[in-house]
């Protein structure tokens, strides 16, 4: 039996893979020595049998070592980072990045593109005309020194193993295993060289993790990896039954992010941003605790300094930002068939509708439409009369609006009883992983 076959069979039979075997696998995937069919077979065995804590850490380490690790020490200060496990309408980074900088800390992030029903920060930022997401390492560091904020696309040289494995997982039904997800997220975060990380782990219909218990397990696994590299990590669990805020779609979400920075916008987006900013500021060198961080973040939202920093940041990355000058595509409205209270808005259905409208991609190489998407008009807990608008889908062509409109049907549950909007921040874990 060859070595790869032995590794696959060991996992298939419920055995443990030691670091040497996991390194052999990761290196073979990157250098092409292991064919795709064997890699896919091992991934499926892993999904069926699961990864242990030790295997998760060893896999993350092997993935980090598959590429380059950025050195951000020339910035001379802790560089703060945030990662979301993926959701619908999640425009948090666009508000958080300039807000943290406006509060005096340094925020640097390597972001990704959207896939499936979840959006990606790079696609959202690129919906601002002229915004450049490709910066050299030197320019990334210089921008952090100069204005304290930079969000760029992940360098091809970091964690090449994840790019290959994630693409394979995506088409072989092998995304959903907590150890694989933790290793994938944390390898990228470790390699990007940031000092402290806040993970926004989404919980609910529109997320990878559908229960808080599963989400906490993902947080615990990520902490095991972070501890091994001496990186500070706070996990914040936020609800993703319904989309975050009202706008879902690239430029639509940037507009909503801007509203939050201007002291307006939906309360749930503001709540998540403030919780993450408070945690990040307490991990910075500003000498504030979480409560102090919260006060600073709220002040920067209310006094306009967060919005000013956004404008500076966008200009430095080449973007031309003119609030209010947004071209709206033609929209089709979904209207309530009966009156009552909105009891549920299904994030997955709204995310799929936005994707079908053109805001998202089915395959990694698909283009996205910057202006397409869905805007929700009635949210959980709100009353609606028969015939009133629940949501509007914006798309470039009528057939796209129709297909997306079909996907939108059934996304809203209207009941006679008044429903209460659930809290969006469900929990925070700063503790030790063991
Ligand atoms: N996000 C990642 O970066 N990796 C995963 O495996 C899942 C979500």
């Amino acid at each position: 039996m060859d070595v790869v076959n032995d590794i696959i069979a060991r996992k298939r039979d419920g055995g443990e893979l030691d670091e040497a075997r996991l390194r052999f696998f990761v290196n073979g995937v990157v250098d092409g020595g292991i064919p795709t069919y064997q890699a896919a077979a091992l991934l499926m065995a892993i999904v069926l049998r699961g990864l242990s804590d030790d295997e998760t850490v060893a896999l993350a380490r092997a993935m980090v070592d598959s590429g380059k690790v950025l050195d951000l020490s020339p910035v001379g200060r802790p560089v703060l980072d945030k990662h979301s496990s993926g959701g619908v309408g999640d425009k948090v980074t666009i508000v958080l990045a300039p807000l943290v900088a406006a509060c005096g800390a340094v925020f640097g992030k390597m972001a990704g593109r959207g896939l499936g029903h979840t959006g990606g920060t790079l696609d959202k930022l690129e919906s601002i005309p002229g915004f450049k997401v490709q910066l050299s390492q030197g320019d990334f560091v210089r921008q952090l020194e100069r204005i304290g904020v930079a969000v760029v696309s992940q360098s091809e040289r970091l964690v090449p193993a994840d790019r290959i494995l994630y693409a394979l997982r995506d088409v072989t039904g092998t995304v959903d295993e907590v150890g694989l997800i933790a290793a994938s997220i944390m390898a990228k975060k470790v390699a990007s060289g940031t000092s402290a990380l806040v993970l926004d782990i989404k919980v609910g219909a529109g997320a990878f993790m559908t229960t808080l218990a599963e989400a906490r397990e993902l947080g615990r696994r990520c902490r095991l990896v972070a501890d091994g590299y001496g990186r500070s990590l706070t996990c914040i669990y936020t609800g993703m039954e319904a989309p975050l805020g009202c706008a879902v779609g690239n430029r639509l979400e940037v507009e909503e992010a801007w509203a939050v920075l201007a002291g307006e916008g939906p309360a749930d987006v503001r709540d998540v941003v403030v919780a993450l900013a408070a945690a990040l500021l307490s991990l910075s060198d500003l000498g504030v605790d979480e409560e102090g961080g919260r006060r600073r973040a709220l002040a920067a939202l209310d006094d306009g300094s967060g919005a000013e920093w956004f404008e500076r940041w966008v200009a430095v990355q080449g973007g031309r930002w003119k609030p209010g000058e947004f071209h709206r595509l033609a929209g089709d409205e979904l209207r309530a068939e009966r009156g009552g209270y909105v009891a549920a808005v299904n994030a997955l259905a709204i995310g799929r509708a936005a994707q079908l409208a053109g805001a998202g991609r089915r395959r990694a190489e698909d283009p996205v439409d910057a202006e397409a998407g869905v805007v929700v008009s009635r949210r959980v807990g709100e009353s609606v009369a028969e015939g009133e608008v629940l949501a509007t889908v914006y798309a470039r062509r009528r057939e796209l609006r129709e297909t997306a409109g079909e996907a939108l049907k059934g996304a809203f549950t209207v009941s006679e009883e008044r429903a209460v909007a659930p809290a969006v921040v469900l929990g925070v874990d700063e503790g030790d992983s063991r």
Side-chain angles (χ1 to χ4, degrees):
M1 193 185 278
D2 75 21
V3 184
V4 191
N5 209 348
D6 166 63
I7 293 174
I8 297 168
R10 181 180 283 261
K11 192 33 98 181
R12 179 201 63 200
D13 296 340
E16 182 94 0
L17 300 180
D18 60 13
E19 178 147 2
R21 287 185 169 89
L22 285 164
R23 274 188 190 275
F24 182 84
F25 168 63
V26 167
N27 293 340
V29 163
V30 174
D31 68 21
I34 296 183
T36 307
Y37 53 83
Q38 284 188 309
L42 181 58
L43 288 171
M44 185 55 83
I46 288 175
V47 168
L48 296 177
R49 290 295 190 169
L51 285 178
S52 68
D53 287 357
D54 287 346
E55 287 173 319
T56 303
V57 173
L59 178 62
R61 284 189 167 280
M63 286 169 70
V64 170
D65 294 344
S66 73
K68 210 171 157 254
V69 176
L70 275 195
D71 175 15
L72 294 181
S73 62
V75 176
R77 295 187 57 197
V79 179
L80 311 177
D81 192 3
K82 165 263 177 187
H83 182 82
S84 153
S85 62
V88 177
D90 183 359
K91 66 276 299 171
V92 169
T93 297
I94 298 163
V95 187
L96 184 70
L99 187 67
V100 165
C103 292
V106 181
F107 185 97
K109 177 172 167 62
M110 300 216 157
R113 298 194 181 278
L115 192 62
H117 71 280
T118 63
T121 298
L122 292 186
D123 298 320
K124 294 171 201 187
L125 289 173
E126 280 181 340
S127 76
I128 302 172
F131 196 101
K132 286 194 223 31
V133 296
Q134 235 117 32
L135 255 60
S136 69
Q137 187 185 335
D139 286 344
F140 183 53
V141 168
R142 275 185 290 280
Q143 188 174 316
L144 290 176
E145 287 169 330
R146 204 171 130 213
I147 61 164
V149 52
V151 179
V152 298
S153 72
Q154 172 139 353
S155 154
E156 295 274 300
R157 288 179 293 168
L158 302 189
V159 204
D162 185 62
R163 240 187 338 279
I164 301 167
L165 286 174
Y166 197 82
L168 191 54
R169 286 165 63 206
D170 197 43
V171 294
T172 53
T174 53
V175 170
D176 291 333
E177 199 286 319
V178 69
L180 285 179
I181 298 175
S184 160
I185 292 176
M186 292 309 294
K188 286 176 289 203
K189 292 289 124 183
V190 167
S192 69
T194 47
S195 339
L197 174 67
V198 172
L199 263 183
D200 177 5
I201 303 185
K202 304 286 184 194
V203 187
F208 282 117
M209 302 293 148
T210 50
T211 67
L212 186 54
E214 284 171 2
R216 284 213 136 103
E217 176 58 12
L218 176 59
R220 192 185 69 78
R221 296 286 186 113
C222 289
R223 187 180 304 288
L224 288 171
V225 181
D227 285 353
Y229 283 93
R231 307 282 167 100
S232 305
L233 173 69
T234 297
C235 297
I236 300 197
Y237 305 95
T238 63
M240 192 35 74
E241 290 299 341
L244 187 65
C246 301
V248 181
N250 301 305
R251 176 70 191 233
L252 291 165
E253 291 190 38
V254 179
E255 293 272 316
E256 190 166 83
W258 169 256
V260 175
L261 282 162
E264 298 155 13
D268 58 343
V269 181
R270 184 177 159 105
D271 288 351
V272 174
V273 166
V274 170
L276 290 166
L280 278 178
L281 293 173
S282 75
L283 297 174
S284 75
D285 55 358
L286 295 175
V288 292
D289 62 7
E290 218 169 310
E291 196 39 50
R294 172 178 298 274
R295 277 198 299 276
R296 282 200 191 201
L298 285 170
L301 284 177
D302 293 337
D303 68 14
S305 53
E308 267 171 45
W309 226 279
F310 173 85
E311 289 184 312
R312 252 175 105 179
W313 163 45
V314 169
V316 168
Q317 284 194 232
R320 295 180 298 280
W321 175 249
K322 295 201 189 78
E325 281 193 18
F326 178 36
H327 170 251
R328 276 277 143 93
L329 298 176
D332 277 1
E333 292 162 341
L334 174 75
R335 292 177 180 272
E337 284 172 8
R338 63 179 188 138
Y341 295 94
V342 176
V345 182
N346 186 295
L348 184 59
I350 304 270
R352 290 233 165 98
Q355 181 191 0
L356 290 168
R361 43 174 77 77
R362 211 160 44 84
R363 286 168 313 187
E365 59 276 17
D366 292 345
V368 294
D369 187 329
E371 296 175 339
V374 174
V375 174
V376 172
S377 308
R378 285 287 190 280
R379 310 192 63 207
V380 175
E382 292 179 353
S383 65
V384 62
E386 185 185 328
E388 276 186 338
V389 176
L390 292 168
T392 307
V393 48
Y394 297 97
R396 211 158 283 279
R397 296 199 311 274
R398 186 194 305 164
E399 65 272 21
L400 292 178
R401 283 195 295 282
E402 284 171 1
T403 318
E406 276 303 311
L408 212 52
K409 283 185 187 154
F412 288 80
T413 308
V414 176
S415 77
E416 281 168 18
E417 275 160 46
R418 183 186 277 277
V420 180
V424 66
V425 178
L426 307 175
V428 179
D429 283 342
E430 298 164 59
D432 206 276
S433 52
R434 284 164 210 274

